[in-house]
């Protein structure tokens, strides 16, 4: 849309580089070209603005195949207005001198023309194509047919419109038919997935079997080694027992020999001690047999005195003392009668 401003009762128009502006004054073309900027009077000016940039037109329409199946086509047409003067003469691109907006809807007319023309060529192709072929090769066939039909359309050339490109994004059947068509493919994909799963499981089972065989082989080898180890341990234990028994026999023989020697030494010592004691006793008896009886009595008293217990104190009663004195006086002492009482206490210690 052109940018129009007011100053001092006049108008100033400034257009974009992608807009072709045509200015007529009193039926005479004054300004013609893209990206113009000029002053004009609203009462005497006739303005038109034609876009010359590339424009995208998205379209969606329904068609029917040769086997009476409905399909929807999604396409995009890129076009441009290559002859602005012709387009401005054939379509209403006039703009309001006050606002710069189009008074009509020229782009909608172009969209309707392109959509109907493209739909007509697409229907012609799909009407002679079954659904299965349309879903496989229909996109390319429809694109080529729409591109060729729009390029050869005389009305577009007469209006100054050039088709740049045609793209067909999708060609889809109805949802029920699409689900029905997807079922075999999905089943096949599922079968392939199941087959891959089974193969993977088979490989896993085979690997597990190999692992189990390896473990079993390892266990068998380990059992064999343990058997050899047990045999070796038994041999070592038997050899150790034999060596220990031999060592015990040697020790027993040595201990027995030592005890025999010790017994012989003890017997010899006892015999010699007995002989010495017997000699000493014989000598003692010989000495005593040759000694005087008084001497023997004295020795006996001495030995008795040595063996008597220690006496700390002696108490003599009057009767004992009288008898003792009478014995000391002798038998020649005259017999008398007397009575006396005495007490004596003595303490001694050696």
């Amino acid at each position: 849309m052109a940018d129009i401003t007011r100053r001092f009762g006049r108008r100033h128009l400034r257009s974009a580089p992608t807009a072709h502006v045509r200015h007529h004054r009193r039926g005479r073309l004054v300004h013609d070209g893209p990206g113009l900027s000029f002053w004009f009077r609203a009462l005497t000016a006739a303005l038109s603005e034609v876009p010359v940039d590339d424009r995208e037109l998205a379209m969606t329409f329904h068609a029917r195949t040769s086997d009476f199946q409905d399909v929807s086509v999604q396409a995009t047409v890129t076009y441009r207005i290559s002859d602005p003067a012709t387009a401005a003469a054939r379509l209403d691109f006039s703009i309001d001198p006050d606002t710069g907006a189009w008074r009509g809807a020229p782009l909608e007319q172009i969209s309707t023309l392109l959509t109907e023309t493209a739909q007509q060529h697409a229907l012609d192709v799909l009407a002679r194509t079954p659904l299965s072929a349309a879903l496989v090769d229909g996109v390319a066939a429809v694109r080529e047919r729409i591109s060729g039909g729009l390029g050869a359309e005389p009305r577009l050339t007469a209006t100054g419109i050039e088709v740049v490109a045609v793209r067909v994004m999708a060609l889809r059947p109805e949802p029920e038919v699409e689900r029905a068509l997807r079922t075999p493919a999905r089943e096949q994909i599922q079968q392939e997935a199941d087959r891959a799963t089974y193969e993977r499981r088979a490989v896993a089972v085979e690997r597990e079997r190999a692992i189990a065989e390896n473990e079993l082989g390892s266990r068998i080898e380990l059992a064999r080694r343990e058997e050899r180890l047990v045999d070796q341990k038994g041999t070592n234990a038997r050899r150790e027992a034999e060596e220990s028994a031999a060592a015990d026999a040697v020790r027993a023989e040595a201990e027995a020999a030592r005890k025999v020697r010790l017994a012989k030494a003890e017997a010899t010592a006892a015999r010699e001690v007995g002989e010495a004691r017997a000699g000493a006793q014989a000598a003692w008896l010989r000495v005593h047999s040759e000694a005087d009886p008084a001497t023997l009595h004295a020795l006996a008293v001495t030995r008795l005195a040595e063996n008597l217990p220690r006496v700390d104190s002696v108490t003599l009663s009057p009767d004992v003392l009288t008898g003792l004195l009478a014995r000391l006086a002798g038998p020649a002492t005259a017999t008398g009668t007397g009575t006396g009482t005495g007490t004596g206490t003595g303490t001694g210690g050696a």
Side-chain angles (χ1 to χ4, degrees):
M1 186 176 68
D3 183 15
I4 298 177
T5 57
R6 297 181 181 182
R7 286 188 181 179
F8 309 110
R10 300 185 67 185
R11 307 288 192 277
H12 183 271
L13 182 143
R14 183 174 63 244
S15 64
T18 57
H20 188 99
V21 177
R22 294 173 60 84
H23 175 210
H24 292 78
R25 186 171 56 199
R26 297 190 180 93
R28 185 170 57 89
L29 183 62
V30 180
H31 298 93
D32 184 16
L36 297 180
S37 178
F38 53 87
W39 293 90
F40 66 93
R41 293 182 179 275
L43 296 178
T44 60
L47 301 173
S48 60
E49 182 181 23
V50 181
V52 294
D53 56 339
D54 292 349
R55 292 184 173 265
E56 303 287 341
L57 175 61
M59 59 184 69
T60 301
F61 51 87
H62 295 275
R64 178 169 294 181
T65 61
S66 61
D67 48 0
F68 305 102
Q69 297 295 326
D70 292 335
V71 294
S72 60
V73 181
Q74 296 179 359
T76 301
V77 176
T78 303
Y79 70 95
R80 72 167 66 99
I81 298 177
S82 58
D83 191 351
T86 302
R90 298 295 298 273
L91 300 175
D92 186 11
F93 282 97
S94 62
I95 60 176
D96 191 303
D98 294 329
T99 61
W102 279 318
R103 290 179 174 176
L107 296 182
E108 293 181 2
Q109 296 177 2
I110 296 176
S111 299
T112 302
L113 176 60
L114 292 175
T115 301
E116 291 178 353
T117 304
Q119 183 175 0
Q120 179 181 358
H121 293 289
L123 292 176
D124 292 340
V125 174
L126 295 175
R128 295 189 299 269
T129 306
L131 178 62
S132 58
L135 294 178
V136 175
D137 300 325
V139 173
V142 171
R143 181 179 63 251
E144 292 177 359
R145 182 59 181 273
I146 292 177
S147 179
L150 293 178
E153 180 65 29
R155 186 179 176 184
L156 296 179
T157 305
T159 312
I161 299 173
E162 177 185 358
V163 176
V164 178
V166 176
R167 296 185 301 277
V168 178
M169 278 74 69
L171 196 153
R172 303 183 62 177
E174 292 183 349
E176 294 80 4
V177 177
E178 187 174 4
R179 282 194 296 269
L181 293 175
R182 286 179 179 177
T183 300
R186 288 184 177 180
E187 291 180 354
Q188 184 177 0
I189 293 173
Q190 186 64 38
Q191 291 176 0
E192 294 294 334
D194 295 340
R195 185 180 299 108
T197 302
Y198 298 150
E199 292 177 356
R200 184 169 62 253
R201 290 179 179 176
V203 172
V205 170
E206 183 66 22
R207 290 180 179 176
E208 290 179 357
R209 185 185 62 80
I211 293 172
E213 291 181 355
N214 293 334
E215 291 180 353
L216 182 59
S218 300
R219 291 180 179 178
I220 294 174
E221 183 64 24
L222 181 60
R224 292 176 180 174
R225 293 185 180 182
E226 288 180 353
E227 182 179 1
R228 292 198 295 268
L229 179 61
V230 170
D231 294 340
Q232 186 64 34
K233 285 184 178 180
T235 302
N236 294 339
R238 185 168 57 254
R239 185 179 301 171
E240 184 179 357
E242 292 175 356
E243 293 179 356
S244 178
D248 291 341
V250 172
R251 284 196 298 271
E253 292 177 359
E255 184 66 20
R258 186 184 65 80
K259 289 183 178 181
V260 169
R261 290 194 299 270
L262 181 60
K264 290 181 178 180
E266 290 179 352
T268 302
R271 185 173 58 253
E272 292 177 355
V273 170
E275 291 175 356
R277 288 180 179 179
Q281 188 69 23
W284 184 80
L285 291 175
R286 189 173 54 251
V287 171
H288 282 73
S289 64
E290 295 176 357
D292 186 28
T295 304
L296 292 177
H297 292 164
L299 290 175
V301 172
T302 303
R303 296 292 297 274
L304 180 62
E306 291 178 356
N307 294 322
L308 288 175
R310 179 179 177 180
V311 178
D312 293 333
S313 63
V314 177
T315 304
L316 297 177
S317 64
D319 296 336
V320 175
L321 183 60
T322 302
L324 182 60
L325 290 178
R327 290 179 182 180
L328 291 177
T333 305
T335 303
T337 301
T339 303
T341 302
T343 302
T345 303
T347 303

